[in-house]
């Protein structure tokens, strides 16, 4: 009975994908303006947000299965029917989706750990809010428990992916236009169906502009074909999109990055949010983990001697022209230049690695809303902005919303956690 009910809901989702996506977006937007509107509004808003997030994760899995699953005997009738009714060509799967879907499909441990981690991240703020209302003295113990579980799950992801760094989000995300699942009025001449896959594609003549159509309104056939072009990364095995951790240094860097939130929470519980010790400890660990990650990709000395001799840097060349020969200056110039062949090894090999490293580097901005930086610099700035705009008509609305979040950032850890 329950399975039949889920099938009915999935059919409803397939038939109304665009409307459900718009409803999810609207509910998320509403939760941003709820805090301060009534008593316990922040808990109500976070409960709605967490529920929509969890439901959206389920929707993502259903839509991904419909669009990208293979047509085999194990495919259920709902997926087969929905794929047969897809309007137009399927979008190319992103590299992130290829990588995460590969490990989700090939490793049961990865699938379980990734699903549990994303569920915890979706509900952790709501759990903290309830904990601080029910048992405020033990709220930090609950937060420590959450961070401990998250650290264990991330370490499990590293092991399940055969010693590769954690890629977040660790499951495929919604990357398709839900309107693809809606039926459209098309003729048999406008589409053709593949014999092997059974997927319906647009005919190329639909992209050709009529003779009486202005050139400015012609469909961009080049962009259409370019969007279906495969690159070397598109055909590479998914596991090779992210390199394994390089030796002991690489493993230490990833472990330090995974354990940093837990150690930060333990320091906050001991010294408090206004103390400098947790703040300095956390940012030092994050920067050191970043340094170790880059150093782990450098070749050992024996292998480095086999590399070609790098060209002279512009600074060293200028010093040589001026007749200045100093080993220290040459060392500084070589360190600042990117001519060392080993430097190329520190660059990401795919967009999956690049996006993950960029996200980790960007997370350093969160330190502006944590600890002493928040109380001594950022909070006074925002509070002053709220006071200056409180009598303005339109700007005052946004200022009041920002003002309602100030005490929430003061009280709850997960508003600024990463």
């Amino acid at each position: 009975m329950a399975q039949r009910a889920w099938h009915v809901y999935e059919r409803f989702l397939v038939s109304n994908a665009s409307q459900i996506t718009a409803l999810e977006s609207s509910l998320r937007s509403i939760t941003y303006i709820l805090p301060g509107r009534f008593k316990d509004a922040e808990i109500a808003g976070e409960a709605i947000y967490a529920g929509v997030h969890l439901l959206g994760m389920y929707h993502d899995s259903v839509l991904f299965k419909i669009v990208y699953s293979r047509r085999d005997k194990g495919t259920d009738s709902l997926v087969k029917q929905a794929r047969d009714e897809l309007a137009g060509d399927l979008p190319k799967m992103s590299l992130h989706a290829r990588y995460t879907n590969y490990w989700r499909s090939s490793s049961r441990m990865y699938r379980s750990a990734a699903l549990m981690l994303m569920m915890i991240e979706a509900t952790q703020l709501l759990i903290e809010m309830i904990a601080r209302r029910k048992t405020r003295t033990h709220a930090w113990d609950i937060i420590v428990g959450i961070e401990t579980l998250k650290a264990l799950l991330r370490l499990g992801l590293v092991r399940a992916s055969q010693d590769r760094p954690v890629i977040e989000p660790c499951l495929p995300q919604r990357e398709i236009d839900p309107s693809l699942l809606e039926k459209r009025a098309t003729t048999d001449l406008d589409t053709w169906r593949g014999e092997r896959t059974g997927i319906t594609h647009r005919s190329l003549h639909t992209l050709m502009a009529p003779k009486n159509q202005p050139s400015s309104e012609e469909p961009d056939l080049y962009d259409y074909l370019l969007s279906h072009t495969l690159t070397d990364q598109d055909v590479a095995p998914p596991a090779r999109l992210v390199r394994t951790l390089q030796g002991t240094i690489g493993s230490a860097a990833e472990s330090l990055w995974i354990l940093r939130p837990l150690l930060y929470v333990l320091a906050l519980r001991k010294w408090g949010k206004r103390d400098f010790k947790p703040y300095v400890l956390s940012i030092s660990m994050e920067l050191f983990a970043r340094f170790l990650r880059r150093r782990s990709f450098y070749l050992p000395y024996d292998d480095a001697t086999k590399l070609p001799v790098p060209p002279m840097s512009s600074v060293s060349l200028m010093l040589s022209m001026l007749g200045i020969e100093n080993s220290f200056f040459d060392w500084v110039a070589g360190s600042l230049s990117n001519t060392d062949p080993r430097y190329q090894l520190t660059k990401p090999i795919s967009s999956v690695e690049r996006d993950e490293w960029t996200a980790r580097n960007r997370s350093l901005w969160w330190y502006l809303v944590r600890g002493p930086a928040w109380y001594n610099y950022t909070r006074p700035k925002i509070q002053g902005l709220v006071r200056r705009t409180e009598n303005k008509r339109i700007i005052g609305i946004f200022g009041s919303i920002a003002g309602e979040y100030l005490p929430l950032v003061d009280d709850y850890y997960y508003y600024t956690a990463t």
Side-chain angles (χ1 to χ4, degrees):
M1 182 65 68
Q3 186 177 4
R4 181 181 300 177
W6 279 116
H7 276 285
V8 172
Y9 179 76
E10 289 179 354
R11 291 182 184 275
F12 174 78
L13 171 63
V14 172
S15 303
N16 303 273
S18 297
Q19 292 81 356
I20 292 177
T21 301
L23 179 61
E24 290 176 2
S25 179
S26 300
L27 289 175
R28 287 192 181 97
S29 300
I30 291 175
T31 59
Y32 296 142
I33 62 175
L34 278 182
R37 298 295 175 263
F38 53 87
K39 185 179 180 181
D40 295 334
E42 63 274 10
I43 296 182
E46 189 57 32
I48 295 174
Y49 184 87
V52 172
H53 196 159
L54 293 174
L55 190 61
M57 288 173 53
Y58 174 71
H59 292 168
D60 293 348
S61 65
V62 174
L63 296 177
F64 188 90
K65 180 175 63 175
I66 290 173
V67 176
Y68 295 115
S69 64
R70 297 181 181 274
R71 292 176 59 86
D72 50 28
K73 295 181 180 180
T75 307
D76 55 52
S77 58
L78 171 66
V79 175
K80 290 181 179 178
Q81 181 181 356
R83 283 177 61 87
D84 292 342
E85 296 174 351
L86 285 176
D89 294 328
L90 297 180
K92 186 169 64 174
M93 188 187 301
S94 69
L95 296 182
H96 174 271
R98 287 187 64 229
Y99 177 80
T100 53
N101 182 62
Y102 169 78
W103 289 113
R104 180 180 64 175
S105 303
S106 60
S107 173
R108 184 177 180 180
M109 178 181 179
Y110 183 95
R111 180 170 62 253
S112 301
L115 181 59
M116 187 174 296
L117 178 61
M118 294 193 66
M119 292 177 64
I120 291 175
E121 291 177 342
T123 58
Q124 59 190 9
L125 179 54
L126 178 62
I127 295 174
E128 182 188 3
M129 287 181 172
I130 297 175
R132 292 194 182 277
R133 292 299 177 92
K134 298 296 183 180
T135 170
R136 193 172 185 85
T137 56
H138 299 291
W140 279 113
D141 296 335
I142 295 176
I143 296 174
V144 170
I146 293 175
E147 291 300 330
T148 301
L149 183 57
K150 288 168 60 178
L152 293 175
L153 291 173
R154 288 189 174 115
L155 291 174
L157 291 176
V158 172
R159 181 176 180 181
S161 60
Q162 300 176 0
D163 290 332
R164 286 175 173 81
V166 179
I167 301 297
E168 294 192 357
C170 43
L171 291 176
Q173 302 298 291
R174 188 179 309 178
E175 300 172 342
I176 63 173
D177 184 1
S179 61
L180 285 172
L181 304 178
E182 297 178 354
K183 295 181 180 179
R184 296 178 183 177
T186 57
T187 64
D188 293 337
L189 297 178
D190 294 336
T191 60
W192 62 277
R193 185 185 299 276
E195 296 181 359
R196 182 176 61 85
T197 62
I199 300 174
T200 301
H201 301 274
R202 294 175 61 185
S203 299
L204 285 180
H205 77 84
T206 61
L207 298 173
M208 304 297 293
K211 295 182 179 180
N212 58 353
Q213 182 175 340
S215 59
S216 59
E217 300 180 3
E218 291 183 3
D220 198 336
L221 182 60
Y222 176 78
D223 289 343
Y224 172 79
L225 295 176
L226 187 63
S227 65
H228 289 70
T229 303
L230 297 179
T231 64
D232 55 344
Q233 294 184 14
D234 292 324
V235 298
R240 294 188 180 180
L241 296 176
V242 177
R243 287 171 288 186
T244 57
L245 299 175
Q246 305 297 305
T248 305
I249 297 180
S251 299
E254 189 68 12
S255 300
L256 194 61
W257 178 82
I258 291 174
L259 296 176
R260 194 272 312 165
L262 175 59
L263 299 179
Y264 180 50
V265 168
L266 291 173
L268 288 177
R269 185 176 64 171
K270 181 177 181 180
W271 289 301
K273 298 177 69 174
R274 294 178 179 268
D275 198 287
F276 274 91
K277 297 185 187 67
Y279 187 82
V280 174
L281 173 66
S282 179
I283 196 171
S284 299
M285 292 177 64
E286 195 143 350
L287 292 175
F288 189 54
R290 178 184 177 184
F291 169 77
L292 289 179
R293 183 196 71 204
R294 292 180 60 86
R295 293 297 303 176
S296 68
F297 290 107
Y298 274 77
L299 290 174
Y301 179 79
D302 293 339
D303 296 334
T305 56
K306 301 177 182 179
L307 292 172
V309 178
M312 184 178 295
S313 65
S314 57
V315 178
S316 298
L317 181 60
M318 183 182 65
L319 293 175
S320 190
M321 292 175 62
L322 294 175
I324 301 176
E325 296 182 1
N326 188 292
S327 58
F328 175 76
F329 288 154
D330 289 338
W331 176 80
V332 172
S335 301
L336 295 177
S337 67
N338 297 336
T339 57
D340 190 340
R342 296 178 301 177
Y343 176 78
Q344 303 299 323
L345 301 175
T346 65
K347 294 183 178 181
I349 62 172
S350 69
S351 61
V352 182
E353 276 193 356
R354 183 184 66 247
D355 294 343
E356 177 63 23
W357 294 359
T358 301
R360 294 189 185 188
N361 295 337
R362 196 185 299 122
S363 66
L364 292 173
W365 288 102
W366 282 102
Y367 284 96
L368 292 176
V369 290
R370 295 177 188 164
W374 166 251
Y375 292 106
N376 299 327
Y377 177 77
T378 311
R379 195 185 196 284
K381 296 290 185 182
I382 298 178
Q383 201 167 13
L385 181 63
V386 170
R387 284 196 299 265
R388 289 193 298 270
T389 60
E390 60 184 357
N391 296 324
K392 307 293 183 180
R393 289 188 176 181
I394 299 179
I395 303 178
I397 298 176
F398 298 98
S400 64
I401 295 175
E404 297 294 346
Y405 276 93
L406 292 179
L408 299 180
V409 177
D410 292 340
D411 295 336
Y412 298 111
Y413 165 77
Y414 281 114
Y415 261 110
T416 59
T418 55

